[in-house]
Amino acid sequence: MNKTILSAVICAATFFIVNSQNMNNPKTNTSLAPVEQLQLTQKWDKTFPKSDKVDHSKVTFVNRYGITLAADMYKPKGATGKLPAIAVCGPFGAVKEQAAGFYAQEMAERGFLTIAFDPSFTGESGGTPRYMTSPDINTEDFSAAVDYLVTNPEVDSDKVGIIGICGWGGIAINAAASDPRIKATLASTMYDMSRVNANGYFDSEDSVEARNALREKLATQRTEDYINGTPKLGGGVPDVLPDDAPKFLRDYYDYYKTKRGYHPRSLNSNGGRNATSPIPWINFPLMSRAGEIENAVMILHGEKAHSFYFGSGAYKKLTVAPGKENNKLFMVIPGASHTDLYDNMKVIPFDGIELFFKEYLK
């Protein structure tokens, strides 16, 4: 067979490989094929009860790197017409069955069509090697969720926002800086993953010497991984807390290692992320363009959260664009810890979150 014809046949065959889940998705972009075949559970396996006020379904979509992402969609029961929509992800190392789904279901009860998605390499989403993280790809994951929402016939494409929890709060801000389709962004109990990887907790290792020592350690691990043919995991929340564990680690344990928040697919509940995951974050300035975001941003943090300095630092970088009035907000919850904002209905100000999105997705 003529090589040119053979090449065309192969390209055509590749183009039409489509995930069966995506056949039901609105305006699926088959130019991103081939699409990974995902195994999606149909049982309710969340860490929170199912609401009788919303309809739930599984959906998939593809990011710009060809990775297929899995999501839970929550839609207000009986809703008609085009709805405002919100994509939710986080915490860093969690899965959509944990805090992200908790937020998504609650916001669906309040009138929004929502999706809680697993990031690339994690949970039910595709991508290899597993349990990897990337500032670029993970930021793209949010924009891929927006791709899905703005092309969904049930969504008002001019009314799409995002919620990022914990480390995904910082990623959400980075996504908002690059994607003006995101009209409103909530960063809840956020981490700046670039800052914590480059400087250590509380900036205690913010020096050239400390960073170079870390780079040496990670480079050695890369060599070991290459020889072994498989990445080493960095470890999640420990099964047994040391006696001198700081309070924030005890808070993580109380969420990820107990019935409250444990999930078998959660990285933090189990073996953790790839041990070399910090490599790109050290040199990636996640907040570098935060001051250029024109659309609305709200940062939500607990007063007693160990991570409070990430939120306050990010807020200082935000600016109000001309003609946008005061659309940059910092809400502090008195007495709340970092993980209180994962799932504590008595603490999370959902009324205020609802008002924020209804104001800026109108």
Side-chain angles (χ1 to χ4, degrees):
M1 182 182 291
N2 181 286
K3 290 184 178 179
T4 301
I5 295 175
L6 178 60
S7 177
V9 170
I10 293 172
C11 288
T14 301
F15 181 84
F16 284 105
I17 297 173
V18 182
N19 186 305
S20 60
Q21 290 284 336
N22 276 330
M23 292 295 287
N24 298 320
N25 285 355
K27 299 181 182 178
T28 298
N29 186 354
T30 54
S31 67
L32 294 175
V35 180
E36 299 156 289
Q37 300 295 319
L38 305 182
Q39 298 298 317
L40 305 181
T41 181
Q42 297 303 315
K43 68 178 181 179
W44 184 265
D45 62 347
K46 323 302 181 194
T47 59
F48 49 90
K50 187 175 184 179
S51 171
D52 59 4
K53 298 178 183 179
V54 305
D55 293 321
H56 166 263
S57 60
K58 290 285 185 112
V59 301
T60 60
F61 49 93
V62 185
N63 72 14
R64 196 164 52 90
Y65 295 99
I67 299 171
T68 304
L69 303 181
D72 287 299
M73 177 183 285
Y74 300 90
K75 181 183 175 185
K77 194 174 290 291
T80 59
K82 291 181 177 293
L83 299 173
I86 304 170
V88 190
C89 196
F92 204 75
V95 287
K96 63 187 182 303
E97 290 76 17
Q98 296 173 304
F102 180 79
Y103 272 67
Q105 181 173 260
E106 178 65 26
M107 295 308 292
E109 287 190 2
R110 294 167 182 265
F112 300 86
L113 184 150
T114 65
I115 58 172
F117 65 90
D118 283 330
S120 295
F121 316 111
T122 305
E124 292 187 305
S125 288
T128 55
R130 303 302 292 166
Y131 317 132
M132 182 61 74
T133 66
S134 163
D136 181 20
I137 296 175
N138 291 153
T139 298
E140 160 62 19
D141 288 343
F142 258 130
S143 284
V146 174
D147 291 339
Y148 176 82
L149 292 173
V150 298
T151 58
N152 189 314
E154 297 182 297
V155 170
D156 186 330
S157 61
D158 290 325
K159 299 178 180 179
V160 173
I162 62 175
I163 295 174
I165 306 165
C166 187
W168 278 84
I171 296 169
I173 291 174
N174 194 52
S178 66
D179 193 339
R181 298 174 302 170
I182 300 169
K183 297 302 192 293
T185 299
L186 171 65
S188 179
T189 195
M190 68 162 282
Y191 266 50
D192 177 341
M193 295 306 298
S194 295
R195 184 174 177 179
V196 72
N197 278 293
N199 300 348
Y201 274 101
F202 313 112
D203 299 325
S204 61
E205 299 175 4
D206 183 13
S207 70
V208 173
E209 293 76 16
R211 278 187 287 276
N212 279 337
L214 177 58
R215 291 179 178 115
E216 288 283 354
K217 178 182 178 181
L218 293 169
T220 299
Q221 186 61 54
R222 283 190 66 141
T223 303
E224 182 180 317
D225 288 350
Y226 191 85
I227 293 170
N228 293 336
T230 183
K232 178 183 177 181
L233 296 181
V237 176
D239 292 330
V240 178
L241 282 173
D243 292 338
D244 60 349
K247 182 182 184 304
F248 73 85
L249 183 56
R250 295 180 183 278
D251 288 344
Y252 281 139
Y253 182 93
D254 185 55
Y255 182 76
Y256 287 108
K257 290 293 188 176
T258 69
K259 185 178 179 180
R260 171 187 168 196
Y262 177 84
H263 195 277
R265 288 191 295 274
S266 169
L267 280 63
N268 290 341
S269 291
N270 298 284
R273 297 178 289 278
N274 187 307
T276 59
S277 288
I279 289 173
W281 299 94
I282 295 170
N283 294 350
F284 188 94
L286 198 62
M287 294 293 136
S288 63
R289 303 297 181 196
E292 298 177 12
I293 302 172
E294 293 187 345
N295 291 328
V297 178
M298 181 165 78
I299 295 175
L300 175 66
H301 238 115
E303 177 194 17
K304 301 297 184 181
H306 71 280
S307 53
F308 186 89
Y309 71 104
F310 293 126
S312 60
Y315 180 69
K316 291 173 184 176
K317 294 179 180 293
L318 301 176
T319 58
V320 178
K324 295 288 185 176
E325 299 180 354
N326 187 18
N327 66 351
K328 305 299 188 294
L329 309 170
F330 188 24
M331 182 183 292
V332 179
I333 310 304
S337 71
H338 180 82
T339 56
D340 280 339
L341 296 184
Y342 282 9
D343 64 345
N344 190 336
M345 283 295 295
K346 295 180 180 179
V347 173
I348 303 172
F350 276 116
D351 288 345
I353 294 171
E354 177 185 353
L355 287 174
F356 170 73
F357 280 108
K358 285 186 173 177
E359 171 66 22
Y360 293 106
L361 298 183
K362 66 180 182 180

